[in-house]
Amino acid sequence: MEATSSALGLGLALAVISGLMNGTFTLPMRYLGRWSWENVWALFILIACILMPVVIATATVSGLGEVLRQAPVHAIATAVICGFAWGFGAVMFGQGVSAIGISLGNTFVLAISSSLGSFLPILVLDPGKVFERQGEAIMAGTGIAIAGIAFCGYAGKLKERSQVNENIRQEMVGEARPFWIGLLLCAGAGVLSAVFNTGYSSAQGIVQAAVRLGNSAFAGSNVVWLLMLTGGATANLGFCAYLFKKNQSWTKYAQAGSTSLYGLTLLMGLLWGGSIFVYGSAAPKLGRLGPAIGWPLSLSVGLLTANLCGIFAGEWRHSRAVERVLMGLGLLVLILAIITLGWSGTLS
């Protein structure tokens, strides 16, 4: 019992650390305006979705090839397909945050992802619980999240209207877009981010195969991430290649004084990629429904962190009191929703 409590405490701590990393990784985007969006995103994806998964899986998994041979085919296919689908969501996220800002963009993506990303894994791991007390709590949490999203969206729309003639983008990478387009991009990213966690939950057969061969559950999770992240990289790099050809922006990598831009993009990749692998270490320690518990906890911390980053970066500096109050109210409602969803994962 003591060991179980210790593992649970460690799992919760790791989920919090994952959220801190996830909530801060977009902050460097604010200072990368000398590059085009595709310059930043392609390098970020290469680091977070190709280099890190390959290096970490190779370093932590014993008999990687044998694990893949013994893993269920449907689990491998699910990981690759969900990863590829998530890749389009990552593109939408990058475009959406560039359009409407760190604070509001992360709020929408993380709120939608935490709602669906907690609900869908329970359908995968134990669908019978949907019709029990736990299912009612999940539905309540999802409804609360929708209310919080509405508050934040209204606050963001008011802020956009009041600042329509002000230039406050500073060095933010990407192009300015109408608010509603940025909102739709972030909503789509949130849904596909939830698919990412659902794919991880559905691919637990890979983790079990790795454990049978003497690996840890963490190492098994790293095999899942290897498949999902490289699958997602395909969609991201394909879109970036299209933009490179369209905008002829390859040459920006050779700009004078780009060392800091490479460093900031590297930091982005390490923070986001690291958040995924830390979450992969947290989930197995949280029990059978670990993905349903750890995901909303990690995202709740990420939500608060991202909005603090947005505040410190000055995104709400020129906003009116009513806009700040509505945004604050929306955040409180979203926190309540994520707490409810996290709590629902502990009910039996």
Side-chain angles (χ1 to χ4, degrees):
M1 182 68 177
E2 184 177 350
T4 301
S5 299
S6 176
L8 178 62
L10 180 57
L12 292 173
L14 289 171
V16 169
I17 294 171
S18 171
L20 290 170
M21 298 172 76
N22 190 22
T24 54
F25 93 92
T26 55
L27 187 58
M29 290 179 69
R30 192 170 183 85
Y31 309 102
L32 290 166
R34 288 195 292 125
W35 273 356
S36 296
W37 182 89
E38 58 269 24
N39 293 99
V40 174
W41 207 250
L43 187 56
F44 161 71
I45 291 296
L46 282 172
I47 294 166
C49 297
I50 295 182
L51 293 179
M52 286 187 71
V54 170
V55 170
I56 292 176
T58 302
T60 61
V61 182
S62 176
L64 177 58
E66 188 61 27
V67 171
L68 292 173
R69 280 190 289 272
Q70 292 196 20
V73 174
H74 69 84
I76 294 176
T78 298
V80 173
I81 292 170
C82 287
F84 184 72
W86 162 81
F88 290 99
V91 171
M92 297 170 76
F93 175 78
Q95 294 276 311
V97 168
S98 289
I100 65 176
I102 296 170
S103 177
L104 191 57
N106 271 288
T107 296
F108 272 78
V109 172
L110 296 182
I112 295 172
S113 179
S114 65
S115 300
L116 294 178
S118 179
F119 173 65
L120 295 178
I122 292 180
L123 287 181
V124 172
L125 297 170
D126 198 347
K129 290 189 178 294
V130 174
F131 304 101
E132 298 174 1
R133 186 182 175 209
Q134 188 171 53
E136 295 174 355
I138 293 169
M139 293 299 180
T142 302
I144 295 170
I146 292 172
I149 291 169
F151 277 115
C152 292
Y154 187 54
K157 185 62 178 176
L158 290 178
K159 181 167 79 78
E160 184 208 27
R161 286 177 178 171
S162 66
Q163 298 175 3
V164 67
N165 294 320
E166 297 181 31
N167 181 18
I168 59 172
R169 283 181 59 83
Q170 298 177 10
E171 292 296 318
M172 184 73 169
V173 68
E175 61 182 274
R177 299 176 186 271
F179 177 82
W180 68 271
I181 291 180
L183 205 60
L184 288 177
L185 287 169
C186 288
V191 172
L192 291 176
S193 178
V195 170
F196 188 70
N197 194 43
T198 304
Y200 171 73
S201 303
S202 303
Q204 290 302 295
I206 299 173
V207 179
Q208 294 163 7
V211 171
R212 285 197 303 270
L213 291 171
N215 291 285
S216 65
F218 171 64
S221 292
N222 293 340
V223 182
V224 178
W225 299 136
L226 175 65
L227 296 172
M228 295 190 70
L229 292 173
T230 53
T234 304
N236 281 270
L237 294 178
F239 182 67
C240 288
Y242 161 75
L243 292 179
F244 280 131
K245 182 177 180 180
K246 175 186 175 184
N247 300 328
Q248 296 297 306
S249 48
W250 283 102
T251 57
K252 292 190 177 183
Y253 283 126
Q255 282 180 341
S258 292
T259 303
S260 62
L261 305 184
Y262 280 102
L264 288 170
T265 307
L266 173 64
L267 180 61
M268 280 180 62
L270 293 176
L271 284 172
W272 187 84
S275 76
I276 295 300
F277 288 99
V278 172
Y279 166 70
S281 178
K285 295 176 174 61
L286 297 174
R288 174 172 170 76
L289 294 180
I293 301 170
W295 189 253
L297 175 59
S298 176
L299 294 189
S300 67
V301 176
L303 179 71
L304 292 174
T305 305
N307 278 281
L308 287 174
C309 287
I311 291 170
F312 290 136
E315 289 187 0
W316 290 82
R317 183 183 304 141
H318 303 285
S319 62
R320 298 173 300 175
V322 64
E323 296 153 5
R324 292 194 293 270
V325 168
L326 285 171
M327 185 62 175
L329 182 58
L331 289 176
L332 289 175
V333 174
L334 287 173
I335 291 169
L336 176 60
I338 294 169
I339 291 173
T340 303
L341 288 163
W343 167 70
S344 72
T346 68
L347 298 176
S348 58

